[in-house]
Amino acid sequence: MDRECVALLPRVCEVLAGSGKSLPDDTSLEKLLDWFTGLSETGGSLLEVCPCLLEFISTVIYNTASDPGVLSFTLRLTGLLAATEDSFMILQERSILRLVYDIQHWQEAGLWEDPCIRIGWIQGLRSMLQHPMALHFLVETDLTKPLLQLQTDTSLFVASAANQVLAHIVVFFQPVTSGGCNDLEKKEESEGRTRACIKEPVAMDTDIEHLALTMRTSPGYTAVTMAISEHLKESLVPKENGGLHQSLQSLKLLALLLAQARPPLRDMLLRTVSGSLEALVKTGRSQHTLPLMDVLLAANSCSNTDEHLPDQRVRGLLSSMLDTHKPSDLIHAAAAVLRRGHRDVVHTSKAVGILLLPLDITTGQTLLSTDTTAEQQRFPVAELLQSKTSCISTLCVCLTNTPQITLLPPDFLPCPPVLVVTTVLSLLSICGGHAPSSIDSSKACRNIIGCGKIQKCGLEALTALSTCPGAKDKMSEVFTVLIQYLHNPDSDPTVLQKSYQALVKWMGVCTDLSSMGDQVREDLLGVVKKRVCDMRWEVRDSTVEFLGRLAGLRVCPESAQEVSVSEALLGCSTTPLLVEALCDQESYVRASATSALAQTLARSWQQGAALTQEQTDIVSRLLDILSEDTEGFARRAVVQYFTTWFSSWSSNSPPSSSPTSSPLLMKCVCSVLSQGSSDLDWEVKVHTLQLAELLLDRALPGHRVTPTPSVTYLPHPYAVGSDQAYVPHTHTDQANGARDGGGVKSDQAGVLSSLVEQGVVSALLSGLVDCDRPVALNACRLLITLRDTICPLDTTAARVPCELQGRGWGREIRKVLEKKCNWRREVTDAAPNRWERMQRLDRPGEVDSEGGDVGREEGLGGGDDSVYVSVCEVLRCLGLDERLSVLTQSSDHVQNSPLSLLQDILTASDAHTHAHMQPGQEVIVDCY
């Protein structure tokens, strides 16, 4: 622990112990406890390092007038300290533990009614229960009984926490045996799930196996386990309406236990509660269906290889749940079987039949044979579908499970998977008002006509079904139904969006577009032209996105080269639609149109085709958007458009080719770098830096700086770029020799001059002093790459100049240079110095006859005039490595510390004691 924190902690404890009011920042205590938790995880005793904590706890627990938040914090802190045996004994010797966990003490003080106190009591107990002494204390003080009572607390948080503690007690101290589940991986997965459910606030170095073996014969553990299992047995079946909540909580606890219990414990639990579970299944309460299925599936998922009686009874109960006469419960029970990934032929096949039955009834498709057990439920399910609300909810559950059903082994299915696709298409047709004449106009059909909820679920299912076996045989029918949805004037914008998504997914798996007839192609083109002019901007946006995604899909027709799906289906009709969308009044649509154009033209860029007049006009329009559009979405898309264009050209052009081979592209790139780097939107600037990075890659092939294990800068949490750790390059003779020797163009000055002319250097320097950290961080990394790759000492590149203006980012760079290198003083020195080296550059009319600069007396920071400086010299003097180390830290790295937290608590306390503070006046703290 930091020495300053150790010095401040006693004062903080004194403030908290004497506080009768809550702190201004109600998260301060949580953060303080997080800090203590982190210290305890590193090992050692907190009481040894911070003896003041013992006095603090003793003071607070006797002062019932303390703030409930401070009392709750103290309860949790006590449990955290007692998690180690040494601290536990100290606390027990001072009689602190008995008082802290004495419920009567808090009840007499009138504090137990506050949920804050109860949750602190439970969480403290949970933290403490990490060793046998803590379990002995639990048994000795009979704390199991109040925990079981809190399981039905009126506060859901308290009740859930009580369940977690009860599960932790039984599971953590259970014996270790050689027996286990059918599969070790399944056991480890189960343990991982339980650890995720039961959060462990303290990580102990205790040998868990040794601990469990020690407790195997412990009468205390046996007593606790028996008490909990007997409680479960008695409370699972509600004796009256008031016992329903307790029954549900007991089911949740039982599911937690069975998820990780090993065979001896698991078998004992099942023997104890199997009778209650049978009674619960017979009661048939709908509220019990899902939690009861969780229990049964957890018990059945880790069965022993030996056919134990409990396992047979569990399987029997599972079968009973899938034979219930309540169709709504039946559907949910079947869905639970698939959701939990349960796999056995009997139960999974039965669940599949139950979930397909409503679809069979509604569409008239024969999904089930007459001898299946699901057929016995046909009449009650048909009755259920007569109610509109029940019909919609039931069909949604069934549709959601259809993709998973089609991927099951054939032995589990009552019909071919492709028939499920046909059924979903029929259901969608009925919903869209296009029911085939062969389908009976039943009440169920009338219930779902025009139902948006069914349409959305059905389209999502259809999208996922594109990969099911035999799906390609249904291509034509799928396209017909989806185009009908797109034509439907009553379709909701979300339904249209999902229809487009389904079309893209199915076209992606279509290897032969000839299966789409000419009529389907004409219909698709007509509906796209219609929807791109829709009154609703969401529809226009979805349509434009659809066109872009189609352009990104590639097919290879017979005896032809690869083309985009958009070109194969719609020809050249899409580009004019997208160009028109660039003028849409909604910025989202303009952005989507820009992205779609980039996807549409990417193929021609990769082939190096000459630009058409239409493409040239598009470029002009996009540059106008970048300079004039008031919304950031469209401007971001424009920068990404040119980034994609340059990337496509660069990847298909040899490194030796000159940028002048594509003059319009390079002219646009320079303009984008200039405008994008000065944009007000930080994401536009980040995308601009990505374009600058591509230009650097092109100019310096194979010489990107790579991370080394020496010094690592952690990525900050808001970085837009790569998460890869970046390490600044260090100058070495070997590295310099390698750079001088080859790889980089021999004319380093020419390369650097080109980067200056293109605006890359200006964009990077502008980004370096940007107020948005992601921008500054990316710019700093790229500048270090440029410095270490092309600016070694004593080369011709040292004389390459760039302009620093007297305003904006240029002025900020000049300020940094003055601060770092004291250049204003240097410019007055007579001897040749850095300033003179930077000023003695080839700039006609800028240097006097004696070699002095006309603006020399003003220095770098004076006036508004521009100055020309050596790029390499600037890069060496900006302190880029130091700047990078600062930028990679989080924005609150100064305040995000325990010391700042302690100081904030003290500051807030001092402010409350000042006489001039008005009631209710806010106290500003910088607590992290």
Side-chain angles (χ1 to χ4, degrees):
M1 184 184 295
D2 186 86
R3 201 180 314 172
E4 293 178 312
C5 293
V6 173
L8 285 180
L9 192 56
R11 288 178 54 199
V12 170
C13 289
E14 183 181 347
V15 165
L16 294 177
S19 173
K21 300 179 180 178
S22 61
L23 295 172
D25 182 1
D26 57 2
T27 65
S28 298
L29 295 176
E30 292 292 336
K31 294 163 185 173
L32 191 58
L33 192 68
D34 289 342
W35 177 47
F36 287 139
T37 302
L39 291 174
S40 68
E41 289 175 351
T42 61
S45 172
L46 279 175
L47 287 181
E48 291 180 3
V49 181
C50 314
C52 58
L53 294 178
L54 192 60
E55 188 63 32
F56 164 73
I57 294 172
S58 301
T59 303
V60 171
I61 61 175
Y62 285 104
N63 182 14
T64 55
S66 296
D67 176 69
V70 175
L71 286 170
S72 179
F73 165 78
T74 306
L75 292 171
R76 289 183 290 167
L77 176 62
T78 304
L80 180 64
L81 296 175
T84 61
E85 294 183 337
D86 292 340
S87 298
F88 179 91
M89 289 188 289
I90 294 173
L91 292 168
Q92 199 170 31
E93 289 171 0
R94 296 282 294 266
S95 300
I96 290 176
L97 288 179
R98 285 192 175 274
L99 185 61
V100 165
Y101 294 109
D102 181 7
I103 292 180
Q104 187 177 355
H105 168 71
W106 303 111
Q107 289 174 336
E108 291 174 353
L111 295 168
W112 190 247
E113 296 302 316
D114 192 330
C116 181
I117 300 297
R118 300 199 299 277
I119 196 74
W121 186 88
I122 294 172
Q123 291 177 347
L125 194 62
R126 168 68 178 80
S127 300
M128 180 181 68
L129 288 166
Q130 305 291 331
H131 49 80
M133 296 176 66
L135 179 62
H136 179 72
F137 173 79
L138 177 84
V139 174
E140 185 183 25
T141 52
D142 197 20
L143 295 180
T144 307
K145 186 180 296 183
L147 276 173
L148 292 171
Q149 292 172 348
L150 288 170
Q151 189 194 24
T152 57
D153 195 89
T154 54
S155 167
L156 293 178
F157 295 105
V158 173
S160 176
N163 256 358
Q164 301 288 340
V165 175
L166 289 167
H168 169 76
I169 294 170
V170 176
V171 170
F172 186 79
F173 296 103
Q174 70 177 310
V176 174
T177 64
S178 57
C181 301
N182 292 334
D183 179 322
L184 180 61
E185 292 180 0
K186 188 183 292 185
K187 171 186 164 186
E188 292 173 349
E189 180 182 349
S190 174
E191 291 177 346
R193 284 198 304 268
T194 304
R195 279 195 296 271
C197 295
I198 309 175
K199 260 182 103 177
E200 294 184 12
V202 181
M204 304 298 297
D205 293 328
T206 309
D207 186 335
I208 304 300
E209 258 193 338
H210 175 71
L211 175 61
L213 288 171
T214 303
M215 297 308 301
R216 179 182 300 197
T217 57
S218 168
Y221 174 72
T222 303
V224 170
T225 306
M226 290 303 299
I228 294 174
S229 58
E230 286 297 324
H231 169 79
L232 290 173
K233 177 182 177 180
E234 297 296 326
S235 61
L236 281 175
V237 182
K239 297 179 177 56
E240 52 188 22
N241 291 334
L244 179 61
H245 176 55
Q246 185 172 19
S247 175
L248 294 174
Q249 286 296 106
S250 295
L251 283 171
K252 291 179 182 178
L253 174 58
L254 186 56
L256 280 175
L257 293 173
L258 293 175
Q260 189 170 350
R262 288 187 284 270
L265 173 61
R266 171 182 162 275
D267 292 347
M268 184 274 291
L269 286 171
L270 287 175
R271 286 191 182 93
T272 304
V273 303
S274 58
S276 298
L277 290 175
E278 287 178 355
L280 201 58
V281 169
K282 290 179 181 178
T283 60
R285 290 177 180 263
S286 298
Q287 299 96 320
H288 285 132
T289 300
L290 291 179
L292 187 53
M293 287 298 296
D294 287 338
V295 168
L296 297 177
L297 290 171
N300 201 51
S301 64
C302 194
S303 301
N304 288 331
T305 53
D306 297 330
E307 294 298 324
H308 286 192
L309 178 62
D311 296 326
Q312 294 174 351
R313 297 180 76 171
V314 166
R315 294 189 183 102
L317 293 174
L318 202 52
S319 297
S320 298
M321 291 297 293
L322 295 175
D323 285 330
T324 179
H325 295 295
K326 291 186 177 180
S328 59
D329 295 346
L330 188 69
I331 298 295
H332 288 296
V337 171
L338 289 187
R339 184 175 63 250
R340 288 291 298 265
H342 183 71
R343 294 290 182 270
D344 77 63
V345 176
V346 175
H347 295 114
T348 305
S349 299
K350 186 179 289 189
V352 168
I354 291 168
L355 290 170
L356 292 179
L357 181 58
L359 299 176
D360 181 308
I361 295 172
T362 306
T363 64
Q365 297 288 340
T366 307
L367 297 175
L368 306 173
S369 59
T370 55
D371 60 345
T372 59
T373 54
E375 275 293 323
Q376 302 170 7
Q377 302 287 345
R378 179 172 289 272
F379 180 75
V381 171
E383 286 292 318
L384 176 71
L385 297 177
Q386 298 301 305
S387 166
K388 185 171 185 177
T389 302
S390 300
C391 178
I392 292 172
S393 62
T394 299
L395 290 176
C396 283
V397 172
C398 297
L399 284 169
T400 302
N401 286 278
T402 52
Q404 190 175 353
I405 288 174
T406 59
L407 298 178
L408 291 171
D411 294 345
F412 292 73
L413 302 179
C415 64
V418 70
L419 192 55
V420 178
V421 179
T422 303
T423 303
V424 173
L425 288 171
S426 297
L427 194 66
L428 285 171
S429 295
I430 295 171
C431 286
H434 299 282
S437 57
S438 59
I439 294 180
D440 181 28
S441 180
S442 63
K443 183 74 178 291
C445 292
R446 294 195 297 272
N447 283 337
I448 64 174
I449 292 176
C451 176
K453 191 171 182 180
I454 295 286
Q455 290 174 344
K456 293 169 191 174
C457 284
L459 289 168
E460 289 173 357
L462 186 62
T463 303
L465 287 169
S466 61
T467 57
C468 88
K472 292 181 181 179
D473 298 335
K474 293 293 179 181
M475 288 286 183
S476 180
E477 296 175 41
V478 168
F479 293 146
T480 300
V481 170
L482 292 176
I483 291 175
Q484 286 176 351
Y485 265 76
L486 294 174
H487 267 299
N488 190 344
D490 297 326
S491 289
D492 179 84
T494 307
V495 170
L496 291 172
Q497 182 188 39
K498 292 185 181 297
S499 300
Y500 281 130
Q501 291 170 349
L503 263 176
V504 171
K505 192 66 181 289
W506 278 83
M507 288 179 178
V509 299
C510 181
T511 55
D512 182 14
L513 291 178
S514 62
S515 60
M516 294 182 64
D518 293 337
Q519 185 61 48
V520 173
R521 296 168 190 248
E522 291 177 11
D523 289 344
L524 180 60
L525 179 59
V527 77
V528 166
K529 289 181 177 180
K530 170 188 172 182
R531 291 303 183 184
V532 84
C533 301
D534 197 282
M535 293 293 292
R536 297 162 293 183
W537 72 265
E538 300 95 336
V539 176
R540 300 197 302 273
D541 188 53
S542 297
T543 305
V544 169
E545 284 185 348
F546 168 70
L547 293 176
R549 288 174 181 169
L550 276 192
L553 293 176
R554 300 290 172 187
V555 293
C556 188
E558 295 182 4
S559 305
Q561 62 179 356
E562 186 182 66
V563 296
S564 72
V565 172
S566 176
E567 184 180 349
L569 290 179
L570 307 178
C572 301
S573 305
T574 59
T575 304
L577 298 177
L578 296 175
V579 171
E580 187 176 351
L582 291 177
C583 302
D584 196 277
Q585 61 183 1
E586 177 57 50
S587 63
Y588 290 107
V589 180
R590 297 194 297 273
S592 296
T594 303
S595 300
L597 279 170
Q599 293 173 293
T600 302
L601 300 176
R603 184 67 178 170
S604 64
W605 294 338
Q606 292 169 358
Q607 295 173 343
L611 295 182
T612 63
Q613 183 59 46
E614 182 183 45
Q615 293 174 357
T616 304
D617 294 340
I618 290 172
V619 168
S620 300
R621 175 60 189 144
L622 292 178
L623 291 175
D624 290 340
I625 291 176
L626 182 60
S627 59
E628 299 172 5
D629 204 299
T630 57
E631 297 288 341
F633 303 107
R635 300 199 304 274
R636 295 171 202 164
V638 169
V639 176
Q640 290 175 304
Y641 175 96
F642 287 104
T643 301
T644 304
W645 185 8
F646 182 83
S647 178
S648 299
W649 171 82
S650 180
S651 61
N652 291 277
S653 301
S656 58
S657 63
S658 170
T660 56
S661 62
S662 183
L664 180 60
L665 171 60
M666 297 315 300
K667 180 180 177 181
C668 293
V669 164
C670 295
S671 178
V672 170
L673 287 174
S674 174
Q675 295 183 53
S677 60
S678 59
D679 199 280
L680 295 178
D681 186 283
W682 72 271
E683 290 191 61
V684 173
K685 289 181 281 192
V686 167
H687 292 316
T688 303
L689 290 176
Q690 292 171 352
L691 176 58
E693 184 175 6
L694 287 177
L695 286 161
L696 278 178
D697 287 342
R698 176 78 180 178
L700 312 171
H703 280 72
R704 296 304 313 280
V705 177
T706 55
T708 60
S710 54
V711 182
T712 301
Y713 293 92
L714 296 176
H716 65 88
Y718 308 108
V720 175
S722 171
D723 289 337
Q724 184 181 20
Y726 180 91
V727 177
H729 185 85
T730 54
H731 291 287
T732 64
D733 294 337
Q734 183 180 2
N736 289 337
R739 281 193 293 270
D740 293 337
V744 180
K745 296 178 181 179
S746 57
D747 182 14
Q748 292 188 354
V751 172
L752 187 55
S753 295
S754 175
L755 293 174
V756 172
E757 292 170 4
Q758 292 164 1
V760 174
V761 174
S762 297
L764 297 183
L765 291 175
S766 170
L768 182 68
V769 293
D770 195 89
C771 59
D772 289 302
R773 192 159 61 95
V775 180
L777 178 63
N778 288 350
C780 189
R781 287 173 168 170
L782 294 175
L783 284 170
I784 290 177
T785 297
L786 181 62
R787 180 199 67 189
D788 294 341
T789 306
I790 207 169
C791 292
L793 298 172
D794 301 325
T795 68
T796 56
R799 294 182 58 81
V800 176
C802 70
E803 181 183 11
L804 293 183
Q805 297 181 349
R807 62 183 183 277
W809 64 266
R811 181 173 55 190
E812 296 301 317
I813 291 291
R814 290 158 75 166
K815 288 180 180 178
V816 173
L817 293 175
E818 287 180 2
K819 182 178 180 181
K820 287 285 183 184
C821 305
N822 201 14
W823 283 19
R824 187 181 290 275
R825 177 182 57 78
E826 287 188 5
V827 298
T828 63
D829 295 343
N833 51 43
R834 181 178 290 121
W835 170 253
E836 291 179 353
R837 290 200 304 274
M838 295 177 63
Q839 296 295 328
R840 291 174 181 171
L841 305 167
D842 284 337
R843 290 180 289 106
E846 296 286 338
V847 183
D848 61 22
S849 58
E850 297 180 4
D853 181 71
V854 292
R856 182 169 172 173
E857 279 94 4
E858 294 180 355
L860 280 176
D864 292 330
D865 297 334
S866 299
V867 296
Y868 284 81
V869 293
S870 166
V871 176
C872 290
E873 201 66 32
V874 168
L875 296 182
R876 292 190 190 104
C877 295
L878 280 174
L880 294 175
D881 295 328
E882 177 187 350
R883 200 175 190 90
L884 181 65
S885 67
V886 173
L887 288 169
T888 50
Q889 294 175 335
S890 62
S891 57
D892 60 352
H893 68 276
V894 176
Q895 287 77 25
N896 189 1
S897 67
L899 179 61
S900 175
L901 173 62
L902 299 177
Q903 291 171 340
D904 285 342
I905 294 174
L906 293 175
T907 301
S909 174
D910 291 341
H912 274 302
T913 60
H914 291 168
H916 65 274
M917 287 290 293
Q918 298 296 322
Q921 184 174 344
E922 183 181 7
V923 179
I924 303 299
V925 293
D926 63 359
C927 190
Y928 71 93

